[in-house]
Structure formats: structure tokens, C-alpha cells
Amino acid sequence: MPNPAHRYTVNVGFPVGCIGVTHENKIVLGGGGGPGRSGVQNKLSIYSLDDSSASLNLNAELVLSSDEDAPTCLAMHPKDKTFVCSINASAAEIKQGKNQNCRMFSYTKTKITKTKQAKCVGSTSDVDYQKCIAMSESGKMVVGGATDGTLSVVHVPALRPVFPFIDARSEINDVGFSNDEKWLVAATDSELRVLSTTNAELVRRIDDPRISGGERAVFRFARFGQTNTLYTVLNTRARNGAYIVVWSTEWVRSAMRRVSSSPITTFALGPRGLLAFATASLHVVVCDAKTLRVLMRVPAAHSFAITALAFDRDGKHLVSASADQTCQVYVLPDTWPTPLQTAVAVGRDYAQVIAIVLVLVLAVVLALVLRR
């Protein structure tokens, strides 16, 4: 498949666990070596994109405690210079029920500052953590999902609960708000729950995920797109395929497409009608969000697990981040090849390969004849 995007690699010096984009189009990275004496610092860093020098320029950085975990997820405020990030406290504080994991930070051009924190994970085990987080369009609410099943919704900036935390009874894989902020979605392996944001009343439950033919799958991601359509990622339980399924506001499947033979590990919806995902086989893929047609596929994008993806605000860049301590920046084209152009290009590539094979075969035959 043709790859119409130029890309460059940036070594940021620490394993990246989460990524966000500010309203000024700066890139925020969180990650590190976790608790202990790994020698790799836990950090939050803000960068500006610089295509001319193929680099990410460091604007601000905050080194975090080595007694605590590395940042696991973050959500950017759509208007203010703030963001919310989940960072597990020390093992001792977690066991005492004092895990103030949900933390709000403000930033300037050169500085990141913690401003508030609250407890949003119910578990007293340091194995559990907040796996996913999302901020509403207005920036007034944050929803988080944890590995122990804690579903939390808090007001911003107070970080006070909107309603009592909910026990989803299993690990929460993804969360998100609808554009009008009336609903939120939480995805576990076996079900989707759509809840009212005012009182947590159940709006819709979709369980027992299956693909065409009845093969069982798990819900890995769930995000609301424009007009409140819901995009979900289903990985087969056999781990031999991944599908994107789109649901209408009447909760009917409006589209489904197999997009990978490997499980999807991270997912992003972007502007300009695009979506992107990364796979366990280390591919980064961009699709048309309406047709689910694959526009770009980059194999071997990183050398270790791809942990996060984000489009910038205007959809001209896609940034992937990894445990290999690098980010890949993809400079996306203004227009993408049509299906016909893609087919022609692929056909041309196949023709070139066949021609090379024929030349090699003829060379071998000729060499054998000359030997005789």
C-alpha cells in the first residue's frame, strides 16, 4: 500500500505511556520508569512540533517522584492551559487508601505545575491503576476508568464527584463523552455501557460482542465521533483480527470493517474525518472515519509496544509514542489517494515485482545455458 505521509523519529529519552495535544497545538507526553530505582525518571513534558528540523522542541518539563508510578493516561482541557493526568501514589499510600491518583496540572511556556489532586481509584492494591481518561467538550467534567472497575466522573477544576463512583465489576478499557455531554461511554471486555452524565442512569447496554459469523470478541475502545456516532474497536478473542464498528444514535451497527489481522492496542479519532490506530504487530494505520477505508499503513513503526496516538488540532500531524522511548511524527497530506489511485499504485508495485522476478529467472536460465 502507498504511504503518502512523511515521518520523522524523535528520541524523547523515556518510555512514553500517554499523549495529549494542547489547544495551542503543543504535544504533551507522560511516562517514565515507574516506581523504584530503574534509573529512568517519571516525567511530564510539553513539546512544540518543528517539521523544518524534524524534531520536537522541549518547552516545559516536570520530573515526578520515583516513589510513585509513571503517568498512565491524560486528558487535555479544550480551552485552558490545564490538563488532568492519572499517576498512582506510592505503594504505601495506596495500601492506606490514600491514592490521590487524579491530578490536575497547569502549564506556561516553560513550566508545569500540579494544582489539585483527588482519589479516583477504589483499589488498595498497587497493581491497579486508572487505565483511561477523557475530558468533556466544555472542559467541565473528566471521566476515568480503572483496572479495578472504578468508573469515576468528576467536576473540573474541583475534582469533586459528579455522582458516586460506579463499580463496573471488571477492568475498564476505555471511556469517553458524547459531544453534547449528555452521555458517557465505558467499555469493558464484555460490554459497553452508555450512561447519563447527570445521574449515571443507564441509557444503553451492549454486551456479548461478536463479529460477523458469530466469532466472539472484546471491546477494546469506544469513542464518540461527530453527531454522537459511536466508534468501537473489537479485537477477536482468538487475537487474529481487529474490527472497527460504528454505531448510530439508535444503537444499530451502521458500519463494520476488519482493519487488522493483529489486535489494536491504541486508537485515536481526529479532525478532517480521520481515525488512527496501532496494533500489537507495531503497525500504525490511518483510516477514513466515514468509510473505514485504510489510507495509510506503516509497518514496524516502533521497536517496542506502541502506547499512545494523537492527532494534532488541525489534523496535519499524527504522533505515535512507544515504550521504546521514541515518538514518530507523521506529516499527513492535505488530500489522500482515491481508491482507484491506490489500486493503480498497488498494481504498479506488483508489476515491478513481477518484472524483477522474471529478469532474475531469465538470468538464472541464461547462466545455466552458458555453462553447458
Side-chain angles (χ1 to χ4, degrees), residues 15-19 30 72 265-267 278 302 304-309 320-324 326:
V16 181
C18 50
I19 187 170
T72 56
T265 57
T266 186
F267 178 79
H302 289 269
F304 292 113
I306 302 170
T307 52
L309 280 173
S320 64
S322 170
D324 66 7
T326 70

Side-chain angles (χ1 to χ4, degrees), residues 227-244:
T227 66
N228 285 348
T229 51
L230 182 63
Y231 288 81
T232 58
V233 169
L234 273 68
N235 290 330
T236 61
R237 288 189 177 270
R239 298 182 62 81
N240 59 2
Y243 294 73
I244 296 177

Side-chain angles (χ1 to χ4, degrees), residues 2 50 72 111 127 144 147 195 199 211 243 273 321:
D50 188 349
T72 56
K111 189 176 182 180
V127 173
T147 57
L195 307 175
N199 55 12
I211 59 171
Y243 294 73

